Amino acid sequence: MSWTYRLKPELFDLNYTLDCGQVFRWGQEGDWWTGVVGDHVIRLSQDQDRLIVDSKLSPEFLTRYFRLDDNLPSIYESINRDLLIDRAIHKYRGLRLIRQDPWECLISYMLSTASSIPTIQKRIFLLSQFFGQELEPGYFSFPTSETLANADLAELDKCKLGFRTQNVKAAAQAAASGELDLDVLIRLEYKYARERLMRLRGVGEKVADCVLLFAFEKMEAFPVDTHIRQIIQHYHIDDSYFETCTNMSCMGDWGREYFGQYCGYAQEYLYYQKRMEGFLSLY
DNA sequence: CGCCAGGGCCCCA
DNA sequence: TGGGGCCATGGC
């Protein structure tokens, strides 16, 4: 039941795409990645130009999920502004943003605040284990907003969400009641969608930008987390701007102006490069 | 023990 | 308006 999806290896790299920190529900064992997407447990492996798919999925599903419809060379050209990003897009060529489910993405990044990636992964696993449906042994769907809206706080606390517990429940109640309509949100411009998301407790500029970038088609979102802040401060990428740019909000504005309409892609490459290799000496 | 991790919120000058 | 303290949790 496994089949092969042919692609150009320089235009897609499965390992970079799933390892770069944008998704939290994939695990790697040997050459194979296993993850839960919607109600599917998916197993994937890449060998050069062959993406081996051990799941009942359509090519269209994979095209959509992995944004294979994005013109990567064109995006590279538009964001390639300096040596640092040039190195990142060559070294990590084929890394693509993923189209995530809006609801799962929102909660996932609400759970990401001031936490390491393994901790975030653990919270999402526990949340799915306690409140999702078991799809196959050990793999659970992400809980619906209705389920989380009705969960009591003591049960939610078992998922080790810390101070985020109340915020998650409140967001779930907003989504379940229709007060927060993610289907409407997706049609709004970046600025207005961002303002709406930030009205949720526990969603600031960074979390909103992650959700907009990874689930709402807003390639112009530029999430400024601790790594991006350190990169901007360390390299002084743009001296003229750097003088007056010290806080997170300003750094987001800077990223949007500097890298342009696909700055979200630039952000992901810089973020992954920094996480993998730390600071680099480029000269 | 302290510090940091894909932060956000509240308070206060 | 912006900077510091605080918020749970886990890893080092």
Side-chain angles (χ1 to χ4, degrees), chain A residues 67-91:
Chain A
R67 300 193 69 95
L68 298 174
D69 46 342
D70 279 340
N71 187 333
L72 216 44
S74 165
I75 291 171
Y76 288 156
E77 188 179 355
S78 80
I79 63 176
N80 195 350
R81 297 294 313 276
D82 56 43
L83 281 178
L84 188 66
I85 187 68
D86 182 69
R87 185 190 181 285
I89 60 185
H90 281 90
K91 174 127 188 172

Side-chain angles (χ1 to χ4, degrees), chain A residues 175-192:
Chain A
S177 71
E179 175 197 337
L180 172 67
D181 189 340
L182 297 177
D183 294 330
V184 167
L185 202 54
I186 203 165
R187 294 186 219 110
L188 298 181
E189 287 176 28
Y190 167 71
K191 176 185 169 187
Y192 298 108

Side-chain angles (χ1 to χ4, degrees), chain A residues 97-272:
Chain A
L97 295 178
I98 285 175
R99 262 193 199 90
Q100 301 187 37
D101 172 73
W103 167 245
E104 176 174 337
C105 188
L106 171 62
I107 298 303
S108 296
Y109 280 91
M110 287 181 71
L111 297 181
S112 77
T113 56
S115 307
S116 66
I117 289 177
T119 300
I120 302 164
Q121 291 171 329
K122 179 186 174 185
R123 288 186 189 130
I124 294 171
F125 174 79
L126 289 173
L127 206 56
S128 302
Q129 186 183 44
F130 283 123
F131 297 102
Q133 303 295 317
E134 188 161 30
L135 303 171
E136 41 179 272
Y139 292 94
F140 302 84
S141 63
F142 192 81
T144 64
S145 58
E146 290 80 7
T147 301
L148 293 185
N150 293 319
D152 63 64
L153 293 177
E155 291 294 308
L156 272 178
D157 272 336
K158 292 180 181 173
C159 302
K160 304 296 181 186
L161 310 187
F163 59 82
R164 306 159 192 83
T165 299
Q166 306 249 18
N167 295 340
V168 166
K169 175 153 181 167
Q173 288 173 329
S177 71
E179 175 197 337
L180 172 67
D181 189 340
L182 297 177
D183 294 330
V184 167
L185 202 54
I186 203 165
R187 294 186 219 110
L188 298 181
E189 287 176 28
Y190 167 71
K191 176 185 169 187
Y192 298 108
R194 192 174 193 250
E195 285 176 357
R196 178 63 189 96
L197 286 174
M198 287 178 63
R199 281 167 46 201
L200 299 168
R201 290 187 74 82
V203 178
E205 296 185 346
K206 190 272 174 182
V207 169
D209 275 337
C210 282
V211 177
L212 292 167
L213 179 61
F214 299 139
F216 286 100
E217 306 286 324
K218 308 304 186 210
M219 302 294 103
E220 70 268 45
F222 191 81
V224 180
D225 75 321
T226 175
H227 293 289
I228 294 296
R229 178 179 53 76
Q230 289 175 39
I231 288 169
I232 293 173
Q233 291 177 337
H234 179 81
Y235 295 102
H236 293 216
I237 295 178
D238 186 340
D239 280 329
S240 62
Y241 213 103
F242 181 77
E243 296 292 327
T244 57
C245 184
T246 55
N247 64 45
M248 300 288 213
S249 179
C250 173
M251 291 183 188
D253 294 336
W254 170 81
R256 274 180 283 285
E257 276 190 37
Y258 186 72
F259 291 110
Q261 63 174 323
Y262 291 106
C263 65
Y265 260 98
Q267 189 273 0
E268 203 58 20
Y269 276 80
L270 293 176
Y271 170 80
Y272 191 43

Side-chain angles (χ1 to χ4, degrees), chain A residues 57-70:
Chain A
L57 294 175
S58 67
E60 291 75 20
F61 182 96
L62 291 178
T63 298
R64 177 167 176 77
Y65 183 68
F66 287 119
R67 300 193 69 95
L68 298 174
D69 46 342
D70 279 340

